[in-house]
Amino acid sequence: MKILVTGGAGYIGSHTFVELVREGHEPVIFDNFSNASREILPRLEQLTGKTPVMIEGDIRDTVLLSRTLSQQGAEAVIHFAGAKAVGESMKDPLKYYSNNVTGTQSLLEAMQENGVRKIVFSSSATVYGDPEQLPIPETHPLSTANTYGETKLVIENMLRAVSSSGPGWSVILLRYFNPVGAHETGLIGESPDGIPNNLMPYICQVAVGRRDKLQVYGNDYDTPDGTGVRDYIHVKDLAAGHVAAINRIEAPQCTAINLGTGRGTSVLEMVAAFSEAAGKPIPYEIMGRREGDVASCYADPGLAREYLGWEARFGIGEMCRDAWNWQSRNPMGYE
Ligand code: NAD
Ligand code: UD1
């Protein structure tokens, strides 16, 4: 299938691009490189044996998007493009409403104009707020405590409204838990700008010598070792989940599906697994809790298994091994 992949030059988009090509699809990347490097393109070519079709542009440019959909003959869209830093979203909410919400509205208008009505959207477990139930099923009440999460909720609502506005729309909302890891070749991986906000890229930068030590945010949570518990998922499993969603996109629907492993891992368990994979200790210090963090968050992945026939294959050991392989081969990321 010809698929427009917005944000296809980014972390999850690039891994999904490789998986789509491998499965015989024809993805077209649409990205403005606001959080990606052009260095990704030769690497995608090396991984797939094909020059990636790439349109540089902003998803808020409806005219360019519409022309791209029609010229490329796209039949479906996978929509990754957007801004994703929780802290930044509280300081600069308009950037988040503009990029994420206005950007998605523009994309849907361009799709409507061209009769393209199949879309897979990158949502997040952040829409479950502070979980009332673990593991978290898709039916869990939705709420959020930050602007980034609010934009994901608004977009989910926009997609639900569009899909019920008339026949023909097929929408799959994929709610990712915590994506980590990299392609096993070490050619592509996560390359955050500045100080990483998330655990795995921070640990990677400590291991490679870019940072002194990890700050562990809180060891007094109601969890087995007191540190936060999350459902880490290998980015290659996530990419495979998108291919599985594309294979189910024909039927009219609006379906929300968790992509997680169903297993929780604490911060200290992750530090231990990474030390083992990298063959070196990861120095850390215990700090106070980070505002907005929840104690535990992990998925009920049952619906993904039933509906998409998908389940995660990789464990924490493989996630750490591949993250370390990427970071040690590319100490400064794509820079
Ligand atoms: P990323 O920043 O690496 O990728 C996003 C891509 O979108 C980048 O290449 C960026 O240049 C591009 N982009 C941003 N705004 C754009 C715009 N206005 N027009 C065109 N391109 C634009 O992030 P990622 O980790 O790959 O995440 C992809 C999606 O998944 C995002 O929507 C994110 O919110 C969602 N998500 C990510 C995580 C995570 O932990 N990484 C978790 C849950 C959900
Ligand atoms: C973060 C986002 C969430 C987003 C998710 C996607 C916040 C508050 N939440 O979630 O909205 O959907 O990423 O992956 O940013 N930790 C440390 N030290 C660090 C970094 C993290 O101890 O330097 C701890 C955290 O307290 C948490 C765990 O590691 O317990 C995971 O943190 P992180 O990788 O930032 O992910 P989330 O908090 O789950």
Side-chain angles (χ1 to χ4, degrees):
M1 196 185 289
K2 269 252 174 172
I3 304 161
L4 188 79
V5 183
T6 75
Y11 171 48
I12 305 170
S14 57
H15 288 82
T16 302
F17 179 89
V18 172
E19 202 64 20
L20 286 167
V21 173
R22 212 173 62 81
E23 292 290 322
H25 294 290
E26 294 175 73
V28 172
I29 297 175
F30 189 97
D31 202 299
N32 67 357
F33 292 104
S34 57
N35 197 36
S37 162
R38 285 174 183 76
E39 172 58 24
I40 192 85
L41 298 171
R43 295 179 182 218
L44 291 177
E45 180 161 355
Q46 203 177 329
L47 281 170
T48 61
K50 288 184 184 150
T51 306
V53 183
M54 158 78 217
I55 310 296
E56 184 164 347
D58 194 298
I59 53 168
R60 288 162 291 192
D61 184 345
T62 318
V63 173
L64 177 62
L65 264 178
S66 183
R67 194 163 64 228
T68 303
L69 284 167
S70 115
Q71 281 177 352
Q72 298 293 334
E75 296 156 76
V77 175
I78 303 182
H79 179 31
F80 293 105
K84 63 166 184 178
V86 173
E88 185 192 47
S89 78
M90 304 301 281
K91 293 195 188 98
D92 191 358
L94 294 180
K95 172 176 173 182
Y96 281 72
Y97 275 94
S98 172
N99 226 20
N100 297 4
V101 176
T102 308
T104 303
Q105 182 181 343
S106 160
L107 172 64
L108 292 172
E109 283 165 3
M111 288 175 68
Q112 182 115 278
E113 227 170 86
N114 288 278
V116 180
R117 295 199 174 84
K118 300 182 176 78
I119 180 167
V120 176
F121 171 61
S122 302
S123 190
S124 163
T126 192
V127 300
Y128 296 123
D130 194 350
E132 291 167 13
Q133 186 187 346
L134 290 166
I136 308 175
E138 288 81 357
T139 49
H140 187 283
L142 304 181
S143 74
T144 179
N146 60 68
T147 304
Y148 164 71
E150 255 165 47
T151 66
K152 291 291 177 195
L153 274 181
V154 171
I155 296 168
E156 283 204 4
N157 287 337
M158 193 192 308
L159 285 163
R160 270 187 280 272
V162 165
S163 83
S164 55
S165 68
W169 279 93
S170 181
V171 176
I172 298 186
L173 311 168
L174 295 179
R175 295 181 181 149
Y176 315 155
F177 280 68
N178 290 58
V180 296
H183 195 269
E184 70 275 9
T185 57
L187 276 170
I188 58 173
E190 189 171 13
S191 178
D193 246 5
I195 303 171
N197 297 308
N198 300 116
L199 180 65
M200 181 66 110
Y202 204 104
I203 292 179
C204 283
Q205 293 195 5
V206 172
V208 83
R210 288 174 62 183
R211 319 235 162 241
D212 291 343
K213 56 185 164 197
L214 172 73
Q215 281 81 44
V216 174
Y217 298 137
N219 67 349
D220 57 352
Y221 285 106
D222 184 14
T223 61
D225 64 17
T227 64
V229 166
R230 298 289 184 274
D231 187 343
Y232 298 95
I233 171 172
H234 198 299
V235 66
K236 281 198 61 171
D237 276 330
L238 207 54
H242 288 78
V243 174
I246 281 293
N247 293 340
R248 282 304 300 258
I249 199 78
E250 285 302 334
Q253 62 188 308
C254 183
T255 316
I257 304 175
N258 288 337
L259 291 184
T261 64
R263 288 183 296 275
T265 302
S266 75
V267 176
L268 293 181
E269 284 171 333
M270 184 60 108
V271 168
F274 198 96
S275 299
E276 194 175 321
K280 55 168 88 177
I282 303 296
Y284 67 84
E285 61 183 333
I286 306 288
M287 311 286 288
R289 293 181 178 193
R290 180 173 69 177
E291 205 188 323
D293 271 356
V294 303
S296 297
C297 176
Y298 49 93
D300 176 345
L303 184 63
R305 204 162 42 231
E306 276 163 40
Y307 190 73
L308 301 179
W310 170 93
E311 66 185 326
R313 293 187 298 138
F314 299 111
I316 289 293
E318 288 140 325
M319 299 178 209
C320 292
R321 177 199 66 197
D322 292 339
W324 174 237
N325 182 44
W326 151 255
Q327 192 72 55
S328 52
R329 285 169 188 261
N330 306 268
M332 302 304 287
Y334 292 113
E335 281 167 38

